[in-house]
Amino acid sequence: MPEGRYQITSESVTEGHPDKIADQIADAVLDSVYLEDPRARVAVEALVATGLVLVAGQVSTTSYVDIPRIARNTIRDIGYTRAKYGFDFETCAVLTAIDEQSPDIALGVNRSLEVKMGEEVGEDEDLSLGAGDQGMMYGYACNETPEYMPLPIAMAHRLSFRLAEVRKKGVLPYLRPDGKTQVTVDYEDGKPVKINTIVVSAQHHPDISLDVLEQDIVEKVIKPVVPASFMNDTTRILVNPTGRFVIGGPQGDTGLTGRKIIVDTYGGIGKHGGGSFSGKDPTKVDRSGSYAARHVAKNVVAAGLADKCEFQLAYAIGVARPVAMAIDTFGTSKLPEEEILRIIKQVFDLRPGAIIRDLDLRRPIYKKTAAYGHFGRRDPDFTWEKTDKVELLTRLAGK
């Protein structure tokens, strides 16, 4: 990270944002398949537009799932329950285009190159798996917040979650499901010192004035969430900067899975390999590899080996072991980076099957990951957030 003074901005969106509707539908399909068949292969995408949901992709499973019902229930739970919102779970059309997973892909995923070459992996079927695709994945952690996340994205997620909370609990009943937040933080020498700007855009009933909305958002959304120590008289707050946000959701903008990958991860801090998560079962390393990389980075920082850590993995399709690993601590490490990397390789088994086993990923836990970020969450089902390797890392580092 640079020295001196600089700013970092991150955004988040509510569960009613059209791209997040698509992500949640895709992960709801995955969860429904996993309820009956945790060894299924799922790779689905969703698109939402005015009055329309399209779910397409590949699913290989022994179970049957009612995709239109899953999509409608997801939309209902988000809050699009009335036609006047511009999108309605009961009346929207739901189209599906689902095929089986390509047998060419299955050849490499079912039995890794290492197994084909005679490597023994024991009785655990998952350890025979090869990576479901090629690509690189990044995990990041820092000690700016208790959840080891960068402050800008942590604050943006908390604001978005609060927007949905005050809507659903009737605190601000005139709010509607779509919304976005954005937080700009001032840094000095790598440390956050002040929130410079907060932007909140909230879909609302057409009869609510901007003055009322601004006051309510400040008092009921921002102040309960943002620590007063990070704000002062110069902090700028912008609420619905266009002056009106009545038309929202899929009526206002087409939504598509995988278009909020920076919201899903670290808010633009650190690198991103480009692969999205939602709708993919954990044999796809876009998802499981990213979760594992976060698990590594968070444990490194929690163990005090560095103040910031970015960990990269790279895989080849059909090959179990990563083809490359790299670490960047941005000059904050307490011992040489090559030594930290050596310790990581001792502690973490980063084959896809081992990640699935160690993080217990063959469970229907994914729909709730699809809004408000995949990382920094306190839910025990987010197993990649555990700091369970701290003691071992510390011991091997000789601390």
Side-chain angles (χ1 to χ4, degrees):
M1 294 296 179
E3 296 181 355
R5 297 183 179 182
Y6 57 94
Q7 295 179 333
I8 295 177
T9 301
S10 296
E11 74 157 346
S12 179
V13 298
T14 67
E15 63 210 65
H17 185 280
D19 292 330
K20 278 289 137 203
I21 297 172
D23 285 340
Q24 289 167 94
I25 290 171
D27 270 338
V29 172
L30 170 59
D31 281 355
S32 294
V33 172
Y34 258 25
L35 277 171
E36 296 185 21
D37 183 10
R39 308 203 73 82
R41 300 285 167 78
V42 180
V44 297
E45 310 287 348
L47 177 147
V48 297
T50 304
L52 174 67
V53 177
L54 171 63
V55 181
Q58 294 76 44
V59 178
S60 296
T61 180
T62 58
S63 68
Y64 168 78
V65 295
D66 185 343
I67 291 177
R69 180 183 58 80
I70 293 165
R72 294 184 194 282
N73 288 348
T74 301
I75 296 163
R76 178 200 63 205
D77 293 345
I78 291 168
Y80 286 104
T81 56
R82 305 183 69 180
K84 68 178 183 178
Y85 296 168
F87 196 66
D88 174 26
F89 80 101
E90 291 183 305
T91 60
C92 65
V94 182
L95 307 180
T96 61
I98 302 293
D99 290 318
E100 288 188 305
Q101 183 184 56
S102 163
D104 294 348
I105 295 175
L107 279 174
V109 178
N110 293 342
R111 296 180 70 246
S112 69
L113 179 65
E114 291 91 336
V115 170
K116 292 173 183 175
M117 294 179 67
E119 181 174 314
E120 294 291 334
V121 295
E123 297 182 359
D124 189 335
E125 183 180 345
D126 276 336
L127 294 182
S128 298
L129 295 173
D133 203 351
Q134 70 176 42
M136 63 282 191
M137 302 86 215
Y138 290 89
Y140 182 86
C142 61
N143 58 10
E144 292 178 15
T145 61
E147 57 264 54
Y148 296 95
M149 289 289 283
L151 183 64
I153 189 65
M155 287 291 102
H157 281 323
R158 291 179 199 175
L159 288 168
S160 288
F161 185 84
R162 179 63 178 169
L163 264 184
E165 185 177 50
V166 296
R167 170 178 61 87
K168 290 182 172 182
K169 290 183 176 181
V171 176
L172 300 179
Y174 58 79
L175 291 183
R176 291 178 176 175
D178 200 354
K180 302 178 76 171
T181 64
Q182 184 171 287
V183 176
T184 299
V185 175
D186 291 340
Y187 283 74
E188 290 185 7
D189 297 327
K191 301 293 184 182
V193 294
K194 193 197 79 169
I195 292 177
N196 181 286
T197 305
I198 297 172
V199 183
V200 178
S201 296
Q203 187 186 15
H204 59 88
H205 189 283
D207 294 340
I208 296 300
S209 71
L210 182 59
D211 288 342
V212 170
L213 181 68
E214 286 179 336
Q215 182 177 347
D216 284 349
I217 292 296
V218 170
E219 294 298 324
K220 304 297 185 182
V221 176
I222 295 175
K223 286 186 176 180
V225 166
V226 180
S229 59
F230 278 109
M231 298 177 66
N232 60 28
D233 292 341
T234 66
T235 299
R236 192 180 186 195
I237 297 175
L238 299 172
V239 177
N240 284 18
T242 68
R244 181 178 169 89
F245 186 5
V246 173
I247 298 173
Q251 184 185 24
D253 191 13
T254 299
L256 188 66
T257 44
R259 279 208 305 212
K260 286 291 177 281
I261 57 175
I262 300 303
V263 172
D264 285 342
T265 51
Y266 309 102
I269 297 178
K271 303 181 186 71
H272 197 294
S276 62
F277 305 154
S278 290
K280 298 176 181 177
D281 76 75
T283 66
K284 281 70 174 175
V285 285
D286 278 340
R287 181 166 223 154
S288 55
S290 296
Y291 289 175
R294 163 65 175 175
H295 189 219
V296 171
K298 185 174 182 180
N299 275 270
V300 166
V301 174
L305 305 189
D307 296 335
K308 298 179 174 70
C309 179
E310 179 183 86
F311 182 64
Q312 184 202 50
L313 288 167
Y315 290 92
I317 189 169
V319 181
R321 288 186 174 81
V323 298
M325 301 183 200
I327 188 172
D328 188 350
T329 61
F330 309 96
T332 69
S333 63
K334 314 308 177 187
L335 62 161
E337 288 182 348
E338 57 268 25
E339 179 65 12
I340 297 176
L341 188 58
R342 183 189 66 79
I343 294 170
I344 287 170
K345 291 177 180 179
Q346 286 183 259
V347 172
F348 296 90
D349 189 340
L350 295 168
R351 294 174 293 170
I355 295 169
I356 291 170
R357 175 198 65 198
D358 294 342
L359 299 182
D360 195 13
L361 297 180
R362 290 197 184 276
R363 295 178 295 142
I365 59 172
Y366 296 105
K367 180 184 174 185
K368 59 185 171 182
T369 70
Y372 312 114
H374 292 248
F375 307 120
R377 307 276 288 274
R378 300 181 187 277
D379 189 311
D381 284 334
F382 288 58
T383 51
W384 47 95
E385 292 296 312
K386 294 187 298 183
T387 52
D388 54 335
K389 303 297 184 181
V390 165
E391 183 178 349
L392 181 55
L393 287 168
T394 303
R395 176 158 50 84
L396 292 173
K399 294 188 66 180

